[in-house]
Amino acid sequence: MAIELTCPAGVLPSEEAVNLLYGPLPVHEGEALAKAIIETVERLTGAPIKASE
């Protein structure tokens, strides 16, 4: 997966960690990926991203 290759080390947790932190369903994997993408963009731009409400 592309995000696994472009994220800084430690941003994307292992499958086991995702299951423990978020849950075992595909939606939980999506949550982990979204968080990893946001953290990667923040690290690259140096600016925090505001979550839309």
Side-chain angles (χ1 to χ4, degrees), residues 2-38:
I3 193 68
E4 293 169 337
L5 299 175
T6 57
C7 278
V11 171
L12 188 62
S14 68
E15 182 177 352
E16 294 82 16
V18 169
N19 288 338
L20 289 172
L21 294 170
Y22 299 95
L25 300 176
V27 68
H28 300 128
E29 182 179 355
E31 289 177 35
L33 287 169
K35 184 176 180 193
I37 291 167
I38 290 168

